[in-house]
Amino acid sequence: MSKSSNEHLSQNISPSLRKLYGEISMTRYVLRFYGFLQSLEGYRSGSWAGGKWDNALIGRIAKYVMAGGMLCYYPLEHIAYAGWKMPGMVPRGLRDANRVSAISCIFWTSYIVGDFWVSCLKWKELRTKLGDLGGMLKGKKRSDDKDAVSDLLKEETALRKKIRLVKLQLVRCLLFILPAINWSLPNWATNPLLDELPLNGLMLVEAYTSVYQTLCSMGS
């Protein structure tokens, strides 16, 4: 956006947009002070698995890879934020905020990989249940059990909704992975893997996908 405004609008607009972008970027670090406790709760309770699943591997990945990874990610992000804003209060060995941020993003990348893995396992399990349900539905239709057919149809709709949400989560993971790798590299600030336009574009599409996923989860 700021690059485009340089070419088509007043030269004052691009610096202003860039300044706003920088402020928003730093604001997200402040919001992350809440993330550690959420990760701790997810690690202790196993809630990040998103319910009970037949495949026990889903719960283990959600606990140890996803929640465990974010337990490391958030403190490192806090240190990086302090290194940028008040380096004098950070131990000398941790004052390279860019390096600390890159290390934190390695754990975020592991979270994304875990999320993708878990979503694939969920999709497989839900598809199996949907197939089994389809067989039961055919049997009930042949026996003309209208009440059972109605209940099974509702269950089928719920399963299809879950599958749709899992697919959207997979899309979000794919959109996240390249930016995560970009920010995990030691020279991400000086020689990034992705240019600003594709990087912000991927993050923007992920944000829109997240909003759409939320709307889908609220729908019937």
Side-chain angles (χ1 to χ4, degrees), residues 49-155:
K52 294 184 178 180
W53 300 87
D54 295 338
N55 190 341
L57 184 58
I58 293 175
R60 291 198 294 270
I61 296 170
K63 178 176 181 177
Y64 296 110
V65 179
M66 295 173 64
M70 297 307 277
L71 281 173
C72 299
Y73 167 80
Y74 284 112
L76 289 168
E77 284 287 273
H78 302 157
I79 294 171
Y81 179 76
W84 283 314
K85 292 298 185 179
M86 42 187 179
M89 298 181 65
V90 178
R92 187 176 301 275
L94 297 174
R95 287 182 186 175
D96 188 347
N98 289 342
R99 177 174 173 272
V100 174
S101 180
I103 295 172
S104 76
C105 285
I106 292 174
F107 289 102
W108 181 44
T109 303
S110 71
Y111 167 87
I112 296 168
V113 171
D115 194 8
F116 186 85
W117 189 2
V118 160
S119 297
C120 288
L121 294 175
K122 288 180 178 180
W123 189 8
K124 180 180 179 181
E125 183 169 320
L126 290 170
R127 285 181 61 188
T128 299
K129 289 183 177 180
L130 188 63
D132 294 341
L133 193 64
M136 295 172 60
L137 190 57
K138 289 180 181 178
K140 295 300 180 181
K141 285 181 178 179
R142 283 196 296 266
S143 62
D144 199 27
D145 190 341
K146 295 182 180 179
D147 290 336
V149 168
S150 177
D151 291 339
L152 289 173
L153 286 174
K154 290 179 181 178
E155 191 174 344

